[in-house]
Amino acid sequence: MEVNKLSIVNSLSGSNDKIFDHLPYLLQDLWELGGVTNCIIQLLDRNLGSIITSLNILELCSGKGAVIISLASKYKCSGKGIDLFEPFINNSIRESAKNNVDHLLNFEIMDIKDAVNTLRNFDIVIYGGDTDVLGNEVDSLSKISQCCSDKGYIVYDTVLKSIVDGDSVFNGTGLNVIDSSVCDKDELVELNKVNNSKIRRRASELITKYPDKKELFENYVRAQEEESTELENDFILVSFLLQCDK
Ligand SMILES: C[S@@+](CC[C@H](N)C(=O)[O-])C[C@H]1O[C@@H](n2cnc3c(N)ncnc32)[C@H](O)[C@@H]1O
């Protein structure tokens, strides 16, 4: 399978594909990569409550599995995570066993482009706008909705300048906005602080090992920190619960 390295690098705040082989080392101490796990749990709890236990959930671009493993641990629901980055899928398999939910979940190395053409009938599909390989937001959401069962749900995380009427954001997607949840800013700031200091420490180890690549690693750390600052100061992170109308 041809791996779109730049899609993976870009989704993890990088811009130079030379960082690709070093990502597992740089990100080894992180589990939650998107920062929205609690926000998603609140949203699902509030709207679907105990029925989540009987649902089958798909997470697209699931990273190391933090979101779907947390959901399976809390609700004992079943699910699948797909991600294009093999080391992250291996991490997810290990973490799901550690959390005793490996009988409920399966993980697969897959490009989201193939996932939307083959995976069907999930009650909830979770997606964090991680890549543009499916096109713009409207195109991506309509492709992703093919993975949902009739009247199934999409949990979609996105960044916005301010709180806006959800209907205006999803106009043209054929999806109904059921609810939304703004992620807690303090929690996000704390997670970014902890994650960035872990990445900085691993980057300095890599600089010692590969001094000729100092600039590559420094640029990666800087991009992470700039993205965090921008997200914390200029945007809000919102999870939307959308329902398919089919
Ligand atoms: C920011 S991480 C999100 C991880 C996870 N949702 C979380 O909150 O921890 C983005 C993920 O998208 C994955 N990714 C990027 N492009 C992809 C593609 N074309 N197909 C599948 N996964 C992709 C990356 O490998 C990475 O794990």
Side-chain angles (χ1 to χ4, degrees):
M1 180 178 61
E2 174 92 13
V3 172
N4 183 344
K5 290 185 180 177
L6 205 55
S7 175
I8 295 172
V9 169
N10 289 162
S11 75
L12 295 164
S13 314
S15 52
N16 183 343
D17 66 4
K18 292 198 174 69
I19 202 76
F20 181 81
D21 290 338
H22 301 288
L23 287 171
Y25 193 89
L26 285 165
L27 303 175
Q28 66 182 293
D29 307 310
L30 279 56
W31 189 39
E32 194 183 345
L33 305 168
V36 290
T37 308
N38 287 343
C39 200
I40 293 177
I41 289 178
Q42 270 173 26
L43 188 67
L44 291 177
D45 235 4
R46 190 160 72 220
N47 289 279
L48 303 176
S50 58
I51 70 157
I52 300 169
T53 304
S54 61
L55 302 183
N56 193 22
I57 301 180
L58 170 67
E59 187 182 6
L60 298 166
C61 303
S62 54
K64 297 190 185 186
V67 175
I68 193 134
I69 291 171
S70 301
L71 289 173
S73 303
K74 183 170 164 71
Y75 299 107
K76 307 290 168 237
C77 55
S78 60
K80 179 180 186 76
I82 71 99
D83 197 283
L84 191 53
F85 199 30
E86 185 175 358
F88 284 4
I89 288 295
N90 294 338
N91 264 293
S92 305
I93 293 168
R94 278 197 301 274
E95 275 306 316
S96 69
K98 262 198 228 160
N99 285 271
N100 298 315
V101 290
D102 47 335
H103 59 298
L104 297 170
L105 298 179
N106 70 82
F107 291 94
E108 198 173 336
I109 304 159
M110 196 186 277
D111 195 309
I112 190 172
K113 272 180 156 175
D114 300 321
V116 296
N117 288 327
T118 53
L119 302 178
R120 295 289 178 265
N121 275 322
F122 285 87
D123 302 302
I124 304 176
V125 179
I126 299 174
Y127 177 58
D130 301 293
T131 170
D132 58 8
V133 296
L134 300 179
N136 64 24
E137 194 169 55
V138 171
D139 289 345
S140 300
L141 285 168
S142 74
K143 287 175 189 164
I144 286 165
S145 66
Q146 300 178 107
C147 304
C148 289
S149 57
D150 293 353
K151 304 285 175 209
Y153 297 93
I154 294 179
V155 174
Y156 176 61
D157 314 308
T158 188
V159 286
L160 295 172
K161 274 273 176 200
S162 59
I163 297 170
V164 290
D165 172 22
D167 291 323
S168 66
V169 180
F170 302 105
N171 203 358
T173 59
L175 295 163
N176 297 317
V177 181
I178 306 297
D179 195 6
S180 61
S181 185
V182 176
C183 301
D184 185 84
K185 180 82 76 177
D186 294 340
E187 226 176 86
L188 186 68
V189 169
E190 186 53 30
L191 181 71
N192 283 343
K193 198 171 104 187
V194 172
N195 279 357
N196 288 341
S197 86
K198 288 175 173 168
I199 296 170
R200 211 178 307 118
R201 188 164 70 84
R202 294 302 181 182
S204 65
E205 290 170 2
L206 286 175
I207 290 169
T208 309
K209 196 167 176 196
Y210 308 104
D212 52 317
K213 293 186 182 166
K214 184 171 187 273
E215 204 181 325
L216 177 72
F217 300 128
E218 281 179 350
N219 286 345
Y220 185 70
V221 173
R222 193 173 316 113
Q224 283 280 347
E225 291 176 341
E226 283 172 4
E227 192 179 285
S228 301
T229 308
E230 199 184 12
L231 189 61
E232 290 161 14
N233 296 331
D234 303 336
F235 293 96
I236 50 170
L237 194 49
V238 188
S239 293
F240 284 95
L241 182 65
L242 310 168
Q243 189 166 30
C244 299
D245 197 8
K246 58 177 181 182

